[in-house]
Amino acid sequence: WRIRWEDDFRTMVCYKETQAEEKLDPLKSEWTGTFRDHRQINPLGAQPENALTGTIFTVNAWRNDPLEVPGRFRKLWFWRESAVSRVPESERVLLYRGLLGHEWDSDINNGHRPNGLIHLSETTVDNVMFVQDSGSIYDSGTAVHHLCLYKANSGAIVFGAGTVQWSWGLDGHH
């Protein structure tokens, strides 16, 4: 969700306008809906999130799925010195049940996908609540998740986990 600040950055404002039929934010020049919303009520126009992160929100699923890394990704430097680097090409590594989380992204080529983006993993999940529009309508479907990486024009390496629960894989508690 795009947000805005009030009261000298003490109050975060988000009307979630994508879920409405009309503009809700009283500041007509601002937008507090999804970045990708292309409807005329968005005064800023569509700015899909995958232009920055490489992936775009697609799944709203209360599930406990692991993130999968097929062996074909094992030679990428990202997996060096990990269990993934040692898996045979025909097998896969499951990274923590629940790592995909309840909200996750997909790599969709909608014209805003960064050049040079590569996949670091691939997980396909059936029967998930898949977004059908800019973020207000969902239906059951099949979705594919990828960890992604690309080099921005600035030279920065951009990593997109594409899941709200990526941090679960970084600590010993989860």
Side-chain angles (χ1 to χ4, degrees), residues 153-167:
N153 292 337
S154 68
I157 301 293
V158 180
F159 169 71
T163 170
V164 297
Q165 289 181 202
W166 178 251
S167 61

Side-chain angles (χ1 to χ4, degrees), residues 55-99:
T55 58
I56 191 164
F57 170 71
T58 53
V59 174
N60 196 11
W62 290 100
R63 298 172 52 115
N64 202 28
D65 297 298
L67 193 142
E68 299 179 16
V69 185
R72 70 178 182 272
F73 296 106
R74 73 187 187 283
K75 292 183 180 179
L76 296 172
W77 67 264
F78 186 83
W79 299 115
R80 191 177 307 143
E81 304 300 324
S82 74
V84 173
S85 69
R86 296 181 294 280
V87 70
E89 186 167 349
S90 61
E91 294 182 21
R92 62 191 170 129
V93 174
L94 300 180
L95 300 179
Y96 307 108
R97 185 158 297 285
L99 191 58

Side-chain angles (χ1 to χ4, degrees), residues 52-55 67 78 105 117-121 145-150 157-163 166:
L52 176 63
T53 65
T55 58
L67 193 142
F78 186 83
D105 303 352
L117 184 133
I118 64 167
H119 296 156
L120 306 171
S121 69
H145 173 274
H146 295 98
L147 296 174
C148 293
L149 194 73
Y150 73 96
I157 301 293
V158 180
F159 169 71
T163 170
W166 178 251

